[in-house]
Amino acid sequence: MKRFLIIGYPLGHTFSPKMHNLALEHYNISGRYEAMAIDPGEFDQAMETLKKENISGFNITVPYKQSILNHLDKVNPAAAAIGAVNTVVCDREGKWTGYNTDIHGFLHPLKSNIPELKSCLILGAGGAARAVAFALADQPAIKKMAILNRTLSRAKELKADLEIQMPSLQIRCLSGGIHTGEPYDLIVNTSSVGMGSLSGKTPLTDLPSLIHGGTVVYDLIYNPAETLLLREARRLGLQTLNGLPMLIEQGSQAFYLWTGHYFPQKVYDIFSSA
Ligand code: ATR
């Protein structure tokens, strides 16, 4: 019996156990995928305990995508460059290898838009933002990037890590807003503002000044399906994307790393409209 986990805090919003358990059942793989909420402050101790248990793999979400790096035996090169891991494969000897399937998941629903996106504004500078910033910096069309974060020092660290790929990257404090005079082609919310205890809130108070008619607004949050940011964007007539396609795609890639199978179509069918 294989055991898989999603580790984060809080985890009330997660769809991952349902998706993965459906896929395990579909392929007749004897196993369970469970949510394990770990209080900040207990994370390091919990990882040491988990190392002694027999698990096959786990996903890591808010706020531990960076802290998990201290507990890994190996890191896939792309995840190491980004500095964030969302999927861990545990081998029979109990060695842990970290991967980042968020990059693929994030780009998937944007594929048809990518050639037209020349400028982007990223809200947040945590683990998810790192995957988004590296994925976008890798797109030849993207020439301009800005990052807004509540904690400026975290945005500074991300800017330093992206120095080679995006030397012109601008960073600002989220509360200070950004007024470059030019609208962005893509605005991505990677921050937690809009979900859990922050649902009903928006990370951007000056959305109209940052857009043009073709701006795409992409919120990585999937629960609620429409955050206040996306509702405001829709009312402004903009194309919007929520985090559901990314959630399914990053999950499918993680499932493949653990089992050699991608999610079956029924996972896509059920969760795409969740
Ligand atoms: P993840 O790995 O999912 O990105 P994370 O690393 O904890 O999770 O990052 C969460 C992001 O949401 C961060 O950018 C965080 O800002 P800080 O770096 O200042 O912590 C942002 N965030 C969380 N709560 C917020 C709030 N109340 N207001 C503004 N930003 C917030």
Side-chain angles (χ1 to χ4, degrees), residues 6 8 12 22 30 41 44 64 77 101 105 110 119 123 148 152-153 170 180 197 206 231 237 240 262 264:
I6 177 159
L22 199 64
S30 161
D44 291 322
Y64 304 126
T101 69
L110 265 188
S119 59
L123 312 173
L148 299 183
L152 194 61
S153 57
Q170 292 194 353
T180 56
S197 60
D206 50 353
R231 185 152 74 248
T240 60
Y262 292 106

Side-chain angles (χ1 to χ4, degrees), residues 61-66 124-129 149-151 154 174 190-193 198:
T61 186
V62 195
Y64 304 126
K65 286 179 183 175
Q66 290 169 273
N149 196 46
R150 176 179 61 177
T151 311
R154 231 172 159 194
L174 192 53
T190 73
S191 83
S192 324
V193 183
L198 300 172

Side-chain angles (χ1 to χ4, degrees), residues 77-129:
I82 293 165
V85 157
N86 76 321
T87 302
V88 176
V89 176
C90 312
D91 70 14
R92 289 210 178 101
E93 283 78 49
K95 297 271 187 251
W96 290 3
T97 304
Y99 295 85
N100 193 309
T101 69
D102 280 341
I103 315 168
H104 179 89
F106 167 71
L107 287 174
H108 189 75
L110 265 188
K111 267 194 189 129
S112 57
N113 300 90
I114 279 286
E116 274 94 59
L117 302 175
K118 298 187 174 52
S119 59
C120 61
L121 175 63
I122 299 170
L123 312 173

Side-chain angles (χ1 to χ4, degrees), residues 153-214:
S153 57
R154 231 172 159 194
K156 273 190 187 151
E157 279 168 37
L158 183 47
K159 177 174 167 61
D161 291 347
L162 274 166
E163 197 54 48
I164 298 173
Q165 295 92 328
M166 197 51 71
S168 63
L169 174 65
Q170 292 194 353
I171 54 167
R172 294 269 198 291
C173 207
L174 192 53
S175 56
I178 190 157
H179 304 283
T180 56
E182 276 176 71
Y184 290 87
D185 298 333
L186 173 68
I187 298 177
V188 187
N189 178 39
T190 73
S191 83
S192 324
V193 183
M195 71 179 207
S197 60
L198 300 172
S199 65
K201 297 203 184 319
T202 173
L204 265 191
T205 47
D206 50 353
L207 182 61
S209 68
L210 297 165
I211 58 161
H212 54 71

Side-chain angles (χ1 to χ4, degrees), residues 14-26:
T14 186
F15 287 3
S16 292
K18 280 189 193 142
M19 291 191 314
H20 284 276
N21 284 322
L22 199 64
L24 287 169
E25 219 172 88
H26 175 86

